[in-house]
Amino acid sequence: MIALKEILLQATREHWSTGHFNASESDHMRAIVEAAKEVGAPAIIGTSEGEAKHLGYLEAVALRDAFRAELGIPVFLNSDHHKSVEAAKIAIDAGYDSIHIDLSAQSFDENVRGTRDVVEYAKINHRYVANQHSNILQNVGMLSVEGELGYLRGDSKIQKEKIEIKPEDYTDPDQAADFVAKTGINRLAIAVGNIHGISLDEPNLDIDRIKKIREAIPENVALVLHAGSGIPDDQIKAAIAAGIANIHINTDIRVAYTEALRKELSKKPDETTPYRFDAAARDTLKNLIVEKLRLFGSGG
Ligand SMILES: [Zn+2]
């Protein structure tokens, strides 16, 4: 199977982006993989610490393997925003393909130290883990690790208050190069005017800063844009042209899924068979993801 690293390098070179979508139920995972299959894109499923605890780490890995076997497309599982080395290790041990260790709230030195620990642990442990829990063998070095530098405000919901981004929140290109060299990460999440959730006022991405960071780090380290929800399409396209190869969408799909589910439940107040009312929410989710993948140029 093709490694995520290879796909991200190709995306960087060809100026398109992969999409990363969050899941906390197998139904969400099905919507993501079916959307990816429909447009001919790789599927990247993320679980935050909270989402992974709800779904189960081993269960998420088993479902990933089942979807790979059923649909025959590349499906990757990422530990989105894991905020401690311990949490990241749980995901590695479970057999995740991809780790996002987010120590961006800590000092630069602490961030470097913890992120490097995760990179080293991933190298040593992945083959053993893959054999133990997964029926698809992966090679050592297949696992992709993402670090984060700069401060992303907000959380994955529709924001009720205006969120102010401070100058020191932004990722500095020179510091980014230093961080990549010291940690050995495969992907870098950056703060360039994006915030988590859907903000009250339109976000304004610093496209020039994305270009500068892209130029400052090696080509085989991919740039990741979190908080892709609520960013206008033209800014998304400009960010991809400037070098973003992976875009995270969470709030948009949470909102779309929940609204569709609520509508369906109120339409059928007497229905008690879950698959008769949650299938519509899954279809809504799938359609939204298809749309996003096409916007990212990920199709084909
Ligand atoms: Zn994020």
Side-chain angles (χ1 to χ4, degrees):
M1 204 189 74
I2 187 165
L4 181 56
K5 291 175 197 175
E6 298 300 322
I7 291 173
L8 291 171
L9 181 59
Q10 196 188 343
T12 299
R13 283 182 179 158
E14 297 171 358
H15 299 288
W16 53 276
S17 177
T18 55
H20 172 290
F21 305 95
N22 289 67
S24 53
E25 305 283 358
S26 71
D27 241 18
H28 308 158
M29 290 178 77
R30 179 171 289 283
I32 298 165
V33 294
E34 285 187 354
K37 172 106 179 175
E38 188 172 315
V39 305
I44 307 175
I45 300 164
T47 63
S48 65
E49 289 186 45
E51 287 160 347
K53 273 181 197 141
H54 180 77
L55 184 60
Y57 283 90
L58 292 177
E59 288 75 4
V61 168
L63 282 163
R64 174 205 63 196
D65 290 348
F67 283 123
R68 275 180 186 162
E70 184 190 327
L71 285 104
I73 60 165
V75 181
F76 303 103
L77 192 58
N78 178 47
S79 70
D80 191 28
H81 291 287
H82 275 46
K83 299 217 167 157
S84 69
V85 174
E86 293 68 36
K89 284 180 178 176
I90 291 170
I92 295 170
D93 289 348
Y96 274 52
D97 315 277
S98 168
I99 301 297
H100 173 209
I101 173 73
D102 175 8
L103 305 177
S104 59
Q106 300 186 22
S107 73
F108 181 78
D109 289 342
E110 283 166 335
N111 191 354
V112 165
R113 209 175 309 128
T115 303
R116 196 177 49 210
D117 280 354
V118 172
V119 169
E120 292 304 318
Y121 188 81
K123 279 185 201 156
I124 298 163
N125 287 277
H126 198 52
R127 184 193 289 274
Y128 168 69
V129 164
N131 285 334
Q132 197 180 33
H133 294 302
S134 162
N135 40 31
I136 296 170
L137 186 69
Q138 289 162 304
N139 296 321
V140 168
M142 289 279 272
L143 202 146
S144 170
V145 178
E146 172 179 340
E148 180 155 340
L149 191 65
Y151 189 57
L152 280 189
R153 291 177 188 274
D155 46 21
S156 297
K157 62 177 189 187
I158 300 171
Q159 308 297 346
K160 300 242 162 38
E161 279 156 40
K162 194 173 144 90
I163 292 177
E164 199 194 331
I165 305 173
K166 303 215 163 79
E168 63 268 27
D169 294 344
Y170 286 81
T171 309
D172 174 74
D174 292 333
Q175 205 180 36
D178 192 27
F179 185 72
V180 166
K182 282 179 173 152
T183 56
I185 49 168
N186 310 105
R187 317 192 302 272
L188 178 67
I190 53 176
V192 287
N194 42 331
I195 61 151
H196 276 131
I198 297 174
S199 56
L200 278 181
D201 43 17
E202 193 169 287
N204 197 4
L205 292 186
D206 187 344
I207 301 297
D208 200 46
R209 187 177 292 266
I210 299 173
K211 279 188 201 143
K212 285 191 179 123
I213 299 169
R214 185 60 276 170
E215 281 162 16
I217 64 171
E219 190 193 37
N220 62 359
V221 177
L223 280 185
V224 182
L225 183 72
H226 281 252
S229 300
I231 297 176
D233 291 359
D234 59 328
Q235 289 195 42
I236 291 281
K237 284 187 181 156
I240 295 170
I244 295 289
N246 182 232
I247 299 175
H248 282 232
I249 303 283
N250 194 359
T251 311
D252 277 343
I253 63 177
R254 283 182 174 182
V255 171
Y257 183 85
T258 308
E259 280 178 357
L261 194 56
R262 248 186 220 126
K263 210 164 94 191
E264 204 62 14
L265 282 168
S266 63
K267 253 200 305 195
K268 303 171 181 168
D270 298 326
E271 185 59 77
T272 54
T273 304
Y275 63 77
R276 294 212 178 102
F277 58 74
D278 61 15
R282 190 178 70 194
D283 289 346
T284 302
L285 199 54
K286 181 185 164 184
N287 293 339
L288 177 70
I289 294 167
V290 164
E291 214 176 280
K292 294 289 180 190
L293 288 171
R294 293 218 166 105
L295 169 68
F296 301 163
S298 199

